[in-house]
Amino acid sequence: MLNKPTDYIASLAKGLKVIEAFGPTSPRLSISEAAVASGLDRAATRRVLLTLHREGYADYDGKFFTLTPRILRLGVAALASLPLSQIVQPWLDQLSEQIGQSCSVALLDETEIVYIARAAQKRVMSIGLMPGSRLPAHCTSMGRVLLAALPREEADLLVRRSDLTPRTKFSILDPVQTLCRIDAAREDGYAFVDQEVETGLRSIAVPLNDRKGLTVAALNIGLSSAGWTPKQTIETYLPHLLGVQSALGRVL
C-alpha cells in the first residue's frame, strides 16, 4: 500500500506499460506505435525503449524495437517463484506421458487464463503454448472451471467484460449462454470445450483445490477432436484428470 507519493516510482510504471505493449500481434514497435499502445507520450516512450535497448532487453534496428530473450528473465523468475508451478510440473509430465496428450495448469487473471506449467506431447493448436501464455477465460476449459469457482456475480461481471469476438464457428457469442456453461462446470466439477478456441481442438479441465477446498488453479488436457465423440473424450480422459486432482489436493 502506498503511504505517500514518494513510495511510487512513476518511471518504473511507465517502463512496465511499454513492455506490456509488445505481444503476439505487435512483436515489433516503433516509438510512435509503442506510445499509442502504452498510452504514454512519445518522449517518455522513447526514453523507456532506449533504456530497454541499452540494458539488453530490446533490439533496435533504427526504426523498430523488438524484445530480446533477456526479457523472459522477468517473467520466468516470477513464474519460478510460484511454488505451485514447481509442485504441478512433475504431475503434468507423468500424466502427459501416460495418456500421450498435452496437459497444462493455469491461473485466472481477470478475463484471461495464464499458463504456469505445461507438458506437451502433440501440437494440436496453431499457436505454441508455454508458461506465461494467455488465452481468454470465457471460452477455455480451464477458464470456465476457474470462473465457476468465483461467486456467480463476479463471474458474470468478468464474462461481460470479456471480448466475445468469435474465434471459430463453434464460439458462443451470448454471455448468458457462456454463464450457463460456467454454471454447468460448477455443477459437474469439470468443463468440456469443443472447438471454441480453435477448430479441431477439444479440451477438458478440472479445478485444482487446496486442502481447504479452495480452487487455486485449473488442470486440463488438450487433444484433437478427430476420431472422438465428446462423450468418448470425457469418459476416457476425465478419470485421469480426477486422479491427479485428488493427488494434488493432498499436497497443495
Side-chain angles (χ1 to χ4, degrees), residues 10-249:
S11 57
L12 175 59
K14 291 178 181 178
L16 294 173
K17 287 183 179 180
V18 172
I19 291 173
E20 290 180 345
F22 292 87
T25 60
S26 54
R28 299 170 69 247
L29 293 174
S30 66
I31 294 174
S32 297
E33 291 169 340
V36 171
S38 64
L40 302 176
D41 62 63
R42 193 178 187 282
T45 303
R46 178 178 179 275
R47 290 195 298 271
V48 170
L49 287 170
L50 290 176
T51 300
L52 290 172
H53 175 55
R54 180 172 179 175
E55 295 298 318
Y57 290 102
D59 284 330
Y60 182 43
D61 64 6
K63 182 177 182 181
F64 293 102
F65 289 84
T66 56
L67 297 181
T68 67
R70 186 184 180 91
I71 203 75
L72 294 176
R73 294 184 183 183
L74 305 178
V76 170
L79 288 169
S81 70
L82 292 173
L84 182 60
S85 62
Q86 299 172 10
I87 293 172
V88 301
Q89 189 62 57
W91 292 90
L92 285 186
D93 292 337
Q94 184 180 70
L95 176 60
S96 180
E97 187 67 28
Q98 287 177 346
I99 65 177
Q101 304 290 350
S102 296
C103 309
S104 306
V105 170
L107 305 176
L108 185 66
D109 182 16
E110 296 290 330
T111 61
E112 297 179 312
I113 58 169
V114 183
Y115 285 72
I116 64 165
R118 181 166 169 81
Q121 286 285 329
K122 304 173 183 178
R123 182 163 178 173
V124 294
M125 293 189 71
S126 61
I127 60 172
L129 294 174
M130 57 189 291
S133 295
R134 291 173 174 265
L135 285 175
H138 71 277
C139 61
T140 55
S141 60
M142 288 192 287
R144 286 182 181 167
V145 296
L146 290 169
L147 288 169
L150 300 176
R152 196 179 191 282
E153 296 77 11
E154 187 175 347
D156 188 325
L157 180 62
L158 288 174
V159 168
R160 294 182 187 281
R161 284 175 47 198
S162 301
D163 180 1
L164 300 181
T165 301
R167 300 174 66 97
T168 74
K169 65 180 181 180
F170 301 99
S171 296
I172 298 175
L173 310 183
D174 182 10
V176 174
Q177 291 186 33
T178 299
L179 283 166
C180 286
R181 299 297 177 91
I182 293 169
D183 289 339
R186 186 182 298 109
E187 180 71 21
D188 298 336
Y190 71 91
F192 176 72
V193 169
D194 189 3
Q195 305 182 79
E196 293 180 44
V197 177
E198 185 167 312
T199 302
L201 172 70
R202 284 178 177 155
S203 65
I204 182 170
V206 297
L208 292 179
N209 303 320
D210 62 17
R211 295 182 182 181
K212 297 179 181 179
L214 300 176
T215 298
V216 296
L219 164 69
N220 93 329
I221 295 171
L223 69 159
S224 169
S225 62
W228 293 82
T229 65
K231 183 179 179 181
Q232 288 173 326
T233 301
I234 294 170
E235 290 179 345
T236 300
Y237 293 107
L238 181 57
H240 292 281
L241 288 171
L242 294 177
V244 175
Q245 177 195 56
S246 176
L248 283 171

